[in-house]
Amino acid sequence: MKFSDYTPRRPQRTLTRQLLSAAPARRVFVIANPASPKLYQAIRLITQAASRLGIPTPTVLTTTPDSPGTAQARQALDQGAELVLVAGGDGTVRLVAGVLAGTDT
């Protein structure tokens, strides 16, 4: 079996667990677009995984049409984010990544 053929049974849970356990981050932020159809499911999975790993509950920052992710990413950095997860579409991910680029987060 090739790696590209592998699909975990529960990809969201597997990915969440991998992200949260990859680094000993204690200040975890989730920047989320509330228009994302599976937002609340994703936040629930992230929160459950953090709890199982002994990581404090992640801080959730939501985007708005007037503030689509850039301000939230800056806020996370200002508050000492060690890990930032993004729940949203390409635009949200791109804006957050632009702010985080070149930082240790």
Side-chain angles (χ1 to χ4, degrees):
M1 172 187 271
K2 295 184 292 185
F3 179 76
S4 60
D5 295 334
Y6 174 72
T7 304
R9 286 185 177 183
R10 296 182 177 166
Q12 295 90 357
R13 290 182 184 178
T14 301
L15 179 60
T16 299
R17 192 175 307 116
Q18 289 172 347
L19 286 171
L20 291 174
S21 64
R26 296 290 171 217
R27 297 284 307 157
V28 179
F29 284 76
V30 178
I31 298 176
N33 181 341
S36 181
K38 295 187 179 181
L39 171 66
Y40 298 102
Q41 177 185 2
I43 291 172
R44 182 176 50 80
L45 291 172
I46 292 166
T47 301
Q48 289 172 349
S51 176
R52 282 192 302 275
L53 295 167
I55 297 172
T57 302
T59 301
V60 178
L61 304 173
T62 56
T63 63
T64 66
D66 293 334
S67 183
T70 306
Q72 291 81 356
R74 286 191 187 109
Q75 181 181 349
L77 288 175
D78 290 345
Q79 292 181 12
E82 296 174 278
L83 176 66
V84 176
L85 304 172
V86 183
D90 293 347
T92 305
V93 171
R94 191 176 325 110
L95 289 171
V96 172
V99 172
L100 299 179
T103 70
D104 292 334
T105 303

